[in-house]
Amino acid sequence: MRLAFTVCLAQLAVEFCVLGTLGMTLDMLKISKDTPLCYPFDEKKVPHTLYTGNSSMGSVPVLEYKISELTSFDSEFELRTLDPEGIIFLGDIGAVTNWFLLAVQKGHLSVQTSRGNGRVVVNAGPLISDGQWKKIVVAKRETDVSVSVNGDQVVSVQQSPESRDAELGDGLLRIAIGASLPNSIPIGIRGALDACMRSWDWVKQDSSALLQHSHTQGCWENIVPGSFFPGNGHVGFLPETFGNVTAEGEGSTWVLSMELAFRPVEDTGVLFAVVDPHRNVSFSLSLYQHTKDLVLHLKDQVFGSSSAPPSLCSGESQFLQLQVRAGQVMTELGGDKVTRKLEEQDFHFLRAVWRQPGTMVYLGGLPVISTEGSSSFHGCLQAKIQGVDVDLDLAQVKSGDIRSYSCPSALDIQGK
């Protein structure tokens, strides 16, 4: 058995192509790498677990086995996820001619397998994305493959003649965990699954090499809903992700709204930003550690600031609202509501940037390189933009070890 690492160079290129100098003053967005935590908590990972969502960081664990050395094609593992869609694993013998995919789609298991020049797709079984551990067994029988969850068979798919013939040859079985394989066919599933795997047994062969991955591929003991930002990344969206920008209010009726529920580990970092196609930060909202302020930037100037609540570093959930409309900018954090006058030309400027092709909306940080590092949010958050729940899997850019659907339980923001 051999463990290979597939580096997604295309993804990395996307990340680095947006890096550069942004047209705003960065003094209030820079932090020292030694920034103290305002709400420290234990981020250690549980041994003998594997986080399956690391393909966004450019590395995919791939197990490889010689067919001639296998005595079984059966595999099993335990899985825990809150993610409604993503790849669990993809196995193939002979690339596009013989493959098997197990994924989650709409919260339930999805099985895809090759069939001649086509494919068979079956979605079935109980809810998988409920955050509870499930034991999943994939068993090869004489003419079909069955999938069971917690001892109950939920899917059975007929094997193609090509698949049965391939299993009798001397080829190579590849199993990619949490992502598709290079040169594989389009599968219609959106990327890796934000999930944890444990107690695995792949085709009755040694797979202990999986545990040699970096510490980022371990899992927290318990998880809660939310998106976890580790303090070194950002996500970027097109404005049209949150509605038809040309159909939104004309003239003075246009409104930009954003809501955040979050629990910070550090009292610093960019929370929200609008960046024009030339990489100039048109508008941003961030926490500034040195003065304990919530700071707004408009173009390259400080537009206003207000004191963060005393509870910011208490471990309590924080709730932030932002609303930009004709004549005013309103922010509310910790019950402290502040309304500031917005000049007419600035309102029209922001509305034009929002509608301009190539504009990006960032959460949790900015794509900036500096000697001190750009300040990124560290903690758990949930967001709404233009009244739409933010789904990080729809981002155009996602950098760092950001987890789209799960946070450590110590940062629970539910019902707080």
Side-chain angles (χ1 to χ4, degrees), residues 98-119:
N98 178 30
W99 53 271
F100 180 91
L101 170 77
L102 184 65
V104 176
Q105 196 166 34
K106 296 182 178 179
H108 299 266
L109 284 182
S110 178
V111 172
Q112 296 186 27
T113 186
S114 55
R115 182 66 55 83
N117 293 323
R119 72 181 72 191

Side-chain angles (χ1 to χ4, degrees), residues 179-191:
S180 59
L181 287 155
N183 305 317
S184 63
I185 65 171
I187 56 178
I189 301 290
R190 62 180 197 199

Side-chain angles (χ1 to χ4, degrees), residues 140-270:
K140 165 71 172 67
R141 299 187 293 203
E142 186 173 349
T143 60
D144 66 331
V145 176
S146 71
V147 181
S148 65
V149 178
N150 291 339
D152 297 323
Q153 180 179 308
V154 297
V155 177
S156 179
V157 291
Q158 194 80 14
Q159 269 195 299
S160 67
E162 296 89 350
S163 176
R164 293 196 296 270
D165 291 344
E167 292 172 1
L168 299 175
D170 57 358
L172 192 69
L173 169 65
R174 301 186 301 169
I175 302 173
I177 300 173
S180 59
L181 287 155
N183 305 317
S184 63
I185 65 171
I187 56 178
I189 301 290
R190 62 180 197 199
L193 189 70
D194 179 353
C196 184
M197 188 178 289
R198 71 183 183 188
S199 303
W200 55 78
D201 183 2
W202 295 102
V203 293
K204 307 301 180 184
Q205 297 290 311
D206 176 33
S207 54
S208 58
L210 288 177
L211 297 176
Q212 297 175 10
H213 280 230
S214 67
H215 72 282
T216 60
Q217 294 194 239
C219 308
W220 298 303
E221 184 174 2
N222 297 295
I223 59 171
V224 292
S227 299
F228 181 73
F229 288 71
N232 61 359
H234 57 269
V235 291
F237 302 84
L238 297 174
E240 50 262 41
T241 305
F242 311 110
N244 188 337
V245 295
T246 59
E248 293 175 345
E250 295 293 334
S252 61
T253 62
W254 178 76
V255 176
L256 171 61
S257 66
M258 186 272 298
E259 301 173 47
L260 282 184
F262 65 100
R263 289 183 74 169
V265 176
E266 299 178 43
D267 52 353
T268 190
V270 176

Side-chain angles (χ1 to χ4, degrees), residues 5-8 60 62 90 92 95-96 174 176 179-185:
F5 291 89
T6 302
V7 179
C8 305
V60 177
V62 179
L90 175 66
D92 75 3
V96 299
R174 301 186 301 169
S180 59
L181 287 155
N183 305 317
S184 63
I185 65 171

Side-chain angles (χ1 to χ4, degrees), residues 53-102:
N54 276 308
S55 65
S56 62
M57 298 182 68
S59 180
V60 177
V62 179
L63 298 167
E64 296 182 349
Y65 302 97
K66 293 181 180 179
I67 298 297
S68 59
E69 297 177 356
L70 297 181
T71 59
S72 172
F73 286 92
D74 295 354
S75 295
E76 63 180 58
F77 49 85
E78 293 182 22
L79 187 80
R80 180 191 66 190
T81 186
L82 290 163
D83 192 341
E85 182 171 336
I87 298 169
I88 300 174
F89 77 87
L90 175 66
D92 75 3
I93 305 172
V96 299
T97 60
N98 178 30
W99 53 271
F100 180 91
L101 170 77
L102 184 65

